Amino acid sequence: MATTPRQNPDLQQYWRANLKLVSVLLVIWFVVSYGFSILFVDALDQVRIAGFKLGFWFAQQGSIYVFVVLIFVYVLAMTRLDRKYGVNEE
Amino acid sequence: MSIQAWTTALVGVSFTLYIGIAIWTKARSTSEFYVAGKGVHPLANGMATAADWMSAASFISMAGIVSFMGRDGSVYLMGWTGGYVLLALLLAPYLRKFGKFTVPEFVGERYYSQSARLVAVVCAIFVSFTYVAGQMRGVGVVFSRFLEVDITTGVIIGMAIVFCYAVLGGMKGITYTQVAQYCILIFAYMVPAIFISILLTGHAVPQVGFGSTLIDGSGISLLDKLDQLNVDLGFDQYTNGSKGTLDVLCITAALMVGTAGLPHVIIRFFTVPKVSDARLSAGYALLFIAILYTTAPAVAAFSRTNFIETIHNKPYSEAPSWFKNWEKTGLVKWQDQNDDGLMQYQGKHAKNSGAPVKNELSVDRDIMVLANPEIARLPNWVIALVAAGGLAAALSTAAGLLLVISTSISHDLLKSVFMPEITERKELMYARIAASAAVLVAGYFGAHPPGFVAQVVAFAFGLAASSFFPAIILGIFFKRMNKEGAITGMLTGIIFTAGYICYFKFIDPAANTSENWLFGISPEGIGTLGMLLNVTVALAVAKFTSPPPAEVREMINRIRVPRH
């Protein structure tokens, strides 16, 4: 079957949707690790939850949990995106 | 049973298992040797990646570093996990779609240039050797402490085991041994952590116990207690940082980006059947890594509390047995400065009213995880388990690195540059010879570590961050990037980063203080700046040189979509 992938507008749209998803997830990634755990750590430390200062908790626990969740959200969203544009693997 | 008998038994059983797997998974083709025939289940690949990634440094050193640095140690916790987000979102699926064997191969084809490939090969080999020497050393230390053989004998035993499964099985053998090694190392890490968490706080989950109230009747939380102990002894508060904010930002970024750019990690995502599997297995990998990485800071806090309480101001004559055992290795030292027979432990802010008391204890950070079960007086089998876990962590990483070295030599140098006519059988043979030679060199460095091993770890991450990562990212996300831009970018990044690290680590180590650093950024964090330089130079050069040929753009279109 002949395909013309180069100028396929669907694929361009797929790529744009992909970039948008990745940007949103990376903003969260940045805010949690560099924001909560480094830049604003002292402000968050004023709050205490379950025995932890919040900034310290993000730096040594919370950020890692968020990283794991981000990847699984990405996996699910991309699976849906692949199907929507019919580029999923069999 | 004694510690030594338990260790011999557990290490013996685990080594037999590794060799058994090696025989079962012998590689028959270059595809099996390089990428396990692309047939690894994503869950298995997740475990293998976790074991590949978590080295002797993660298992043995990291909790110790955090325990001495407090909040400043978070750079390692975040830096060595956050990179997986970049890997999953920006690299793994596209490189899997590319579908070849090595990272330099991608760089070479994307930038239609053998020179680009050569730059990448040299970086890959250098980064991997730096790293592997540390692993063999870790193997030697565990052997010498727990089995009381000398370090060289320990290194030789370790080499023999890695030789069996890396040379015979290639990526296929390594993958399935790494799955076994992950199970062993995570069990070995969690068991003492859970025991100690219950003893100190009554909580079985270390991540919860970490923030809980102590059960010694004092009614204060573990972290408050630790802050107070630290301040009383003249250290910085445990939950506060003392490094500059920009430096912390740069170190974290360099470690994250470096992680995502390390060839032995990237190559693991070439082994799964599909693009969607590459994404999924990155998720599994980080999940499996996170189990250890969220436990490590809890272990750090527990062990520091226990350490201070059992040692500080106690008479040397009544020192616990673990202290005497580790003293023999020279990793803990006590010198009575005031002749009172007590062991005083003090930090740099200590103010002493009355008699001058100085710090009398020096403790190597690396012993905290290994000594932790002994400090908490856990049963002997737990102590032996930690030894087997440390060996699993070191051997799994060593194997992954050796594979990168061997494929770089056989596939990227011999096959692509020197003997392109070579048959697959011959290439496989050369891959095995290269792996054997790499094992020997690594073993030599393990037994006779050059004094700079510890210092060059910054190199591995700095170079990966300032060379591979930008070249690959630009290659996937910026079609206009051409070979001129990529090569000058990589060279600028490497020369700047390597020059900065060399200056402060080797040429003028005395000047290695924050006043002399560029913008207050330490050599550990300079890779971040190197990466930014790389990108800036690459973009500028690409703007003024010709765009990449049509077939390269076509290839980029192809790797961006899972199915075409």
Side-chain angles (χ1 to χ4, degrees), chain B residues 108-167:
Chain B
E109 290 207 14
R110 167 60 183 84
Y111 296 115
Y112 44 99
S113 153
Q114 287 286 13
S115 329
R117 189 171 181 167
L118 276 177
V119 174
V121 171
V122 171
C123 284
I125 293 179
F126 182 84
V127 167
S128 302
F129 263 123
T130 310
Y131 229 92
V132 82
Q135 306 308 318
M136 294 319 264
R137 187 70 187 166
V139 171
V141 169
V142 173
F143 266 105
S144 69
R145 165 62 187 84
F146 291 99
L147 293 174
E148 296 178 12
V149 298
D150 62 51
I151 288 190
T152 312
T153 315
V155 169
I156 292 173
I157 300 173
M159 277 165 60
I161 298 292
V162 175
F163 186 88
C164 281
Y165 63 81
V167 175

Side-chain angles (χ1 to χ4, degrees), chain B residues 520-544:
Chain B
I521 301 170
S522 59
E524 283 73 25
I526 202 66
T528 304
L529 215 57
M531 172 188 68
L532 295 176
L533 259 178
N534 176 334
V535 173
T536 316
V537 170
L539 289 175
V541 171
K543 199 171 163 49
F544 297 106

Side-chain angles (χ1 to χ4, degrees), chain B residues 401-465:
Chain B
L401 293 160
L402 290 169
L403 190 86
V404 168
I405 298 170
S406 93
T407 51
S408 296
I409 293 171
S410 64
H411 193 65
D412 292 313
L413 285 180
L414 295 182
K415 168 91 177 164
S416 85
V417 182
F418 297 113
M419 21 176 127
E421 303 302 318
I422 192 173
T423 62
E424 193 187 308
R425 267 183 78 116
K426 273 260 171 71
E427 190 186 337
L428 185 59
M429 188 188 80
Y430 281 116
R432 288 206 162 104
I433 293 173
S436 318
V439 171
L440 293 176
V441 176
Y444 177 81
F445 282 128
H448 308 274
F452 52 84
V453 165
Q455 281 96 331
V456 290
V457 174
F459 251 133
F461 284 92
L463 286 187

Side-chain angles (χ1 to χ4, degrees), chain B residues 39-184:
Chain B
V40 181
H41 188 276
L43 191 66
N45 190 46
M47 282 194 198
T49 310
D52 197 21
W53 172 237
M54 292 192 284
S55 60
S58 295
F59 190 94
I60 298 173
S61 311
M62 193 174 63
I65 294 173
V66 175
S67 130
F68 281 84
M69 291 173 71
R71 196 184 80 196
D72 282 338
S74 316
V75 295
Y76 300 104
L77 299 168
M78 286 194 288
W80 287 338
T81 51
Y84 276 84
V85 178
L86 299 174
L87 200 56
L89 273 55
L90 303 175
L91 299 174
Y94 309 110
L95 291 177
R96 173 61 194 83
K97 181 67 199 300
F98 174 66
K100 296 281 175 63
F101 293 151
T102 70
V103 176
E105 196 170 13
F106 174 78
V107 174
E109 290 207 14
R110 167 60 183 84
Y111 296 115
Y112 44 99
S113 153
Q114 287 286 13
S115 329
R117 189 171 181 167
L118 276 177
V119 174
V121 171
V122 171
C123 284
I125 293 179
F126 182 84
V127 167
S128 302
F129 263 123
T130 310
Y131 229 92
V132 82
Q135 306 308 318
M136 294 319 264
R137 187 70 187 166
V139 171
V141 169
V142 173
F143 266 105
S144 69
R145 165 62 187 84
F146 291 99
L147 293 174
E148 296 178 12
V149 298
D150 62 51
I151 288 190
T152 312
T153 315
V155 169
I156 292 173
I157 300 173
M159 277 165 60
I161 298 292
V162 175
F163 186 88
C164 281
Y165 63 81
V167 175
L168 269 184
M171 187 56 122
K172 202 171 154 209
I174 288 173
T175 302
Y176 294 103
T177 18
Q178 281 173 339
V179 171
Q181 282 160 336
Y182 176 76
C183 298
I184 291 170

Side-chain angles (χ1 to χ4, degrees), chain A residues 2-64:
Chain A
T3 48
T4 49
R6 277 190 77 172
Q7 298 303 325
N8 191 332
D10 266 4
L11 291 186
Q12 281 178 14
Q13 234 178 356
Y14 166 78
W15 184 245
R16 271 199 294 275
N18 176 359
L19 290 182
K20 202 174 133 197
L21 170 68
V22 169
S23 320
V24 171
L25 296 177
L26 285 183
V27 168
I28 301 174
W29 166 84
F30 185 87
V31 169
V32 171
S33 51
Y34 297 93
F36 293 174
S37 311
I38 299 176
L39 292 170
F40 310 118
V41 63
D42 292 323
L44 288 181
D45 272 349
Q46 305 306 313
V47 182
R48 292 188 71 117
I49 292 172
F52 290 102
K53 293 177 183 172
L54 192 57
F56 178 80
W57 181 79
F58 265 111
Q60 300 213 332
Q61 298 273 301
S63 56
I64 302 174

Side-chain angles (χ1 to χ4, degrees), chain A residues 5-6 14-15 18 29 34 42 45 48 50-53 60-61 63 65 67 71 74 82 86-90, chain B residues 70-71 78 82 88 94 207 210-211 224 239 249 253 256 274-276 279 283 294 297 554 560-564:
Chain A
R6 277 190 77 172
Y14 166 78
W15 184 245
N18 176 359
W29 166 84
Y34 297 93
D42 292 323
D45 272 349
R48 292 188 71 117
F52 290 102
K53 293 177 183 172
Q60 300 213 332
Q61 298 273 301
S63 56
Y65 299 134
F67 296 154
I71 300 187
Y74 170 75
D82 286 352
V87 292
N88 55 318
E89 301 144 299
E90 292 79 2
Chain B
R71 196 184 80 196
M78 286 194 288
Y94 309 110
Q207 286 84 343
F210 188 23
D224 285 338
T239 56
L249 273 177
M256 282 187 183
K274 294 185 295 183
V275 174
S276 53
R279 297 179 192 137
T294 53
E554 192 57 43
R560 285 180 175 184
V561 183
R563 182 185 56 151
H564 228 83

Side-chain angles (χ1 to χ4, degrees), chain B residues 12-37:
Chain B
V13 168
S14 63
F15 280 17
T16 314
L17 180 67
Y18 305 154
I19 293 176
I21 295 174
I23 295 169
W24 171 57
T25 54
K26 186 171 186 289
R28 284 180 182 82
S29 64
T30 47
S31 169
E32 285 191 349
F33 193 90
Y34 294 148
V35 291

